[in-house]
Amino acid sequence: MVVLTGAGMSAESGVPTFRDALSGLWARFDPQRLATPEAFLADPALVFGWYLRRTRMVLDVAPHAGYRALVRLARLRALQVVTQNVDGLHARAGSKDVVSLHGSLLHYRCTAGGHPVPLSDILALTGGPRVLPPRCGTCGSPVRPGVVWFGEPLSEAALARAHAITAEADVVLVVGTSALVYPAAGLPHHAARHGARLVEINPEPTPLSASVDIRWPEPAGTALPALAAAVLARDS
Ligand code: BJW
């Protein structure tokens, strides 16, 4: 079983979904325009401030019952999590070996050399909502969040693993994603071409909905614990 998650997976933990993520100073910006290398070049303090606020926010919340249900399910069935999320909540809930397609809000690096910067240095920054990115201690280039922006390539290793895993899956649970952003949105179709059944857990329909075998229009925090309980009941 492969579980492909998106921002809706974290909504019940209190993390706004990507397309709901803008408030305050950023409310008048389109997130698709902020999450780009061009936006960072044009207004580094605006973009860095947005990421710093979101980094602090994800550290302040906890994985909900749906996350814990995936950890229980992984004890009952071979299960691999592939996530588009950058909040680290799967790992914090106890999921092992998560494939992260879009990087992490908890890892920062410099723009020129990719030198890692300790998260504690980032969290020590003061001010806001606009925050000038610090400079790398090694090469002096501006520091950026370790996420994948629009127009940037995903990690080749992560994407290759996601393709390999989904090609072998019997079932892919697609949880809390609008299925709009590629190449991640292509993974369920790739799995289906290789014989997997698709289950979509999302209160709202998406462009993927017409292609799935089962649509389960409930929040992740309800559906995933119910699924784990059903599998456990079947096994006992
Ligand atoms: C609930 C719920 C609850 C609510 N329970 N559900 C093919 C066709 C067209 C375009 C492209 C293409 N291939 C590539 C592109 C371009 C682009 C793209 O896809 N654009 C589209 C918008 C059209 N893709 C890229 O640029 C990618 N790069 C790339 O392809 O590079 C190629 C290249 C090769 C070589 C050299 C150079 C380039 C990169 C994509 C990176 C995406 N990054 C982001 C930002 C990460 C950092 C950050 O967080 O700021 O990743 S964008 C954003 O979208 C974020 C998310 O991971 C991603 C997906 O969003 P997600 O997770 O689906 O969230 P939402 O908010 O959209 O939806 C939430 C859903 O949850 C909703 O459906 C709700 O109903 C639901 N929900 N509560 C269950 N309780």
Side-chain angles (χ1 to χ4, degrees), residues 195-220:
R197 298 289 179 90
L198 303 181
V199 180
E200 182 178 56
I201 296 176
N202 192 325
E204 304 297 330
T206 73
L208 179 68
S209 301
S211 309
V212 300
D213 297 281
I214 298 175
R215 237 195 79 65
W216 193 346
E218 285 203 52

Side-chain angles (χ1 to χ4, degrees), residues 1-226:
M1 186 187 299
V2 170
V3 185
L4 173 65
T5 60
M9 178 72 201
S10 296
E12 292 155 273
S13 284
V15 182
T17 64
F18 185 75
R19 281 160 185 81
D20 286 342
L22 298 190
S23 59
L25 174 68
W26 304 277
R28 63 199 162 87
F29 295 92
D30 173 355
Q32 302 212 161
R33 287 180 182 247
L34 274 183
T36 64
E38 292 78 15
F40 186 62
L41 265 180
D43 194 341
L46 178 84
V47 173
F48 196 87
W50 184 47
Y51 278 96
L52 181 56
R53 188 196 65 150
R54 291 174 57 212
T55 299
R56 291 199 167 111
M57 187 228 297
V58 301
L59 290 169
D60 258 6
V61 302
H64 59 70
Y67 278 99
R68 296 192 296 277
L70 289 182
V71 177
R72 287 199 299 282
L73 261 177
R75 294 193 199 111
L76 304 169
R77 294 286 185 277
L79 181 153
Q80 176 71 53
V81 176
V82 177
T83 190
Q84 298 172 79
N85 295 346
V86 293
D87 55 30
L89 289 183
H90 282 296
R92 279 174 58 197
S95 284
K96 306 280 179 234
D97 199 23
V98 175
V99 179
S100 293
L101 294 171
H102 294 161
S104 170
L105 274 177
L106 309 180
H107 296 110
Y108 281 73
R109 63 169 194 269
C110 74
T111 41
H115 302 115
V117 178
L119 185 58
S120 52
D121 291 5
I122 300 297
L123 295 174
L125 295 169
T126 52
R130 298 174 69 93
V131 181
L132 262 181
R135 297 275 166 174
C136 171
T138 309
C139 70
S141 71
V143 171
R144 59 162 286 177
V147 299
V148 182
W149 282 326
F150 283 112
E152 294 185 323
L154 279 64
S155 142
E156 258 178 52
L159 190 58
R161 260 197 90 201
H163 276 124
I165 292 163
T166 47
E168 283 185 7
D170 295 322
V171 178
V172 177
L173 299 184
V174 185
V175 186
T177 174
S178 57
L180 291 171
V181 175
Y182 284 81
L187 290 170
H189 301 286
H190 175 72
R193 280 195 297 276
H194 286 81
R197 298 289 179 90
L198 303 181
V199 180
E200 182 178 56
I201 296 176
N202 192 325
E204 304 297 330
T206 73
L208 179 68
S209 301
S211 309
V212 300
D213 297 281
I214 298 175
R215 237 195 79 65
W216 193 346
E218 285 203 52
T222 306
L224 293 172

